[in-house]
Amino acid sequence: MSKRSEPRPCIFIGSSLKDLKRFPAKVRNRVGYALHQVQEGDEPLAAKALKGFGGRAVLELIDDFDGDTYRTVYTVRFADVVYVLHAFQKKAKRGIATPRQDIELIKSRLRDAELHYRTRTENEGA
């Protein structure tokens, strides 16, 4: 991706903004900066493709802080907008796999983002 003249809007789906606001301040600051990079058309170094979503359309930011791991999942699948799908603290102490309930929530919110994007683009075209 290349630098954009106008940052893309960042839209939070479901409780993702409320959940992100529960993160420690240092984590919120780092995630906020990374999301700003995404809005500018860059891909942060901390971004990794989320397995099971085919390629690099759904990414996650992983931040380890004070012995805990925080994840923020977003998608750049849709032109000109960034959707934040989920923000959560990883609870399991072993393994790196994202828990199934979180994957299901991300899939559901990705469908919500798709619907929002379709509605948004149809309204702009009207």
Side-chain angles (χ1 to χ4, degrees), residues 15-46:
S15 64
S16 58
L17 180 59
K18 184 175 76 175
D19 298 335
L20 180 60
K21 286 181 175 182
R22 289 192 192 119
F23 288 5
K26 284 188 177 187
V27 176
R28 282 195 319 266
N29 288 341
R30 289 191 289 248
V31 169
Y33 179 73
L35 288 174
H36 179 72
Q37 288 179 294
V38 175
Q39 288 179 276
E40 294 286 334
D42 292 332
E43 185 175 298
L45 291 174

Side-chain angles (χ1 to χ4, degrees), residues 36 86 91 113 115 122:
H36 179 72
H86 192 26
K91 300 286 188 206
L115 179 62
E122 286 169 4

Side-chain angles (χ1 to χ4, degrees), residues 24 27 30 62-71 88-93:
V27 176
R30 289 191 289 248
I62 301 171
D63 197 320
D64 292 315
F65 176 76
D66 204 21
D68 293 314
T69 299
Y70 298 87
R71 293 180 171 191
F88 63 104
Q89 180 181 348
K90 188 170 180 295
K91 300 286 188 206
K93 296 297 178 196

